[in-house]
Amino acid sequence: MVTPKHPDADAEVLRRIRAALGPNVPIAVTLDFHGNVSPQMAETANILIGYQTYPHVDQRQRGLIAAQLLARAVKGEVRPVCHVAKPPMLLNLLGQDTSREPMAGLMRTAREMEQQPGILSVSLMAGFPYADVPDMGASVIVVADGNRTHAKAAADELANAMWSVREQLNVPCPRPEAAVHMALTSTKLPALLVDLGDNIGGGSAGDGTVLLAELLKQHAKGFVVVIHAPAAVEQAKSAGVGGTVDVTVGGSTGVLHGEPVRVRGMVRSLHEGKWTEVEPRHGGRRQNDQGHTAVIDLADGNQLVLNSLRMPPFSLGQLTSIGIDPKQARVIVVKAAVAYKAAYEPIGGEIIEVDTPGLTAINAARFEYKRIRRPMYPLD
Ligand SMILES: [Zn+2]
């Protein structure tokens, strides 16, 4: 967490909790895998435990480990102490994917280290590269039983292992024109075009048009694109089901994610935009709401979904609840980085990750950092 006064607000919250509780009450904290963890946090809490999956589907398991350790600490069975190692590297979101090597191998090493005597927990933390704060970047947290030196040695060992594979973690990907061409010539359908620059879960606008414009330019057939466009939804509602609309989408918060695009089509259906997800998905959300939603049939079997609330593509219900079978699409644009995979990988043919522009662009060299530690791989 970052606030205007506290670039490391989690450490400040912990400092106040510690001041209120005194030195002897154990404190356990669970953390998102993207946490930019600071040494101050490790000094103040006894137990720091991060999710170890991306997409994040292990919140329950990691929470349980934290609670069990806390209970054992309260009973006096263990004396947990924490250390965080900070290798001078940032990880792009693709390299953070825990199903992809070398991250998958690093995770296996972390799980093996947790079996060592005296080690209570190991968390390899990817960090969040879009936060311009001193503690931005990867971390390794080790909780040891009473021995800080042991915690530090283990954390440093895994941090060194990360550092040694930094070049493989720095995953490259194609630009929009080449990526769309790949999707249109793919035989593994549906081809998923991953709009990394407009990753809604990462905080972007959700109305990026770069891939939509490129798909139209290359005369794509059978695509499904979801765009956040509340004004266009109102137009579709006025036209009614079966009516024709001429709408402009994109560019509502600036042109970082592409210029506005004008499209003409027929309103196929209108929806309230709510659905329930029953499977484990990134974030664990059950009740979903993308606001009033319109499905627009464009030419060539292409479909544009316009919604009123920004919704990361973490659940297939975003499409199935409005009558779209994603398995029947030829190309689907997903505005995400990795978290969409829990929902979309099982139905996806080919996955094409695209270096699109935007707030969540994959290439950190596009951003001007002012507060991070330097030097920082791969920037320096
Ligand atoms: Zn996360």
Side-chain angles (χ1 to χ4, degrees), residues 32-35 51 54 56 282:
D32 189 279
F33 182 54
H34 292 107
Y51 310 155
Y54 182 28
H56 310 330
H282 181 91

Side-chain angles (χ1 to χ4, degrees), residues 15-16 19 41 46 62 64 90 154 187 213 232 248 271 283 286 344 347 360 364 367:
R15 188 188 67 76
R16 295 184 194 185
M41 288 172 67
N46 304 79
R62 298 300 280 180
L64 201 54
L90 67 82
T187 52
T248 301
H271 307 268
R286 292 261 182 264
Y344 279 82
I347 64 101
T360 54
F367 304 118

Side-chain angles (χ1 to χ4, degrees), residues 253-304:
T253 57
V255 293
L256 262 181
H257 307 91
E259 300 285 339
V261 169
R262 196 170 163 187
V263 290
R264 190 180 161 81
M266 189 198 78
V267 181
R268 182 191 187 86
S269 55
L270 295 165
H271 307 268
E272 290 291 321
K274 294 183 171 68
W275 75 95
T276 302
E277 173 63 66
V278 296
E279 298 292 327
R281 294 292 184 242
H282 181 91
R285 186 186 294 199
R286 292 261 182 264
Q287 303 307 323
N288 294 276
D289 185 2
Q290 60 181 339
H292 285 179
T293 303
V295 181
I296 311 293
D297 279 339
L298 307 178
D300 297 325
N302 295 318
Q303 290 191 311
L304 194 57

Side-chain angles (χ1 to χ4, degrees), residues 7-30:
D8 183 11
D10 300 272
E12 176 62 16
V13 170
L14 279 170
R15 188 188 67 76
R16 295 184 194 185
I17 292 171
R18 178 56 78 205
L21 295 180
N24 299 321
V25 178
I27 298 175
V29 183
T30 56

Side-chain angles (χ1 to χ4, degrees), residues 93 128 130 196-207 253 256-257 310 312 314 335-337 358-361:
L93 264 58
F128 190 65
Y130 306 102
L196 293 163
D198 192 18
N199 167 17
I200 300 168
S204 69
D207 69 351
T253 57
L256 262 181
H257 307 91
R310 288 186 182 87
F314 295 169
K335 294 178 170 298
L359 280 182
T360 54

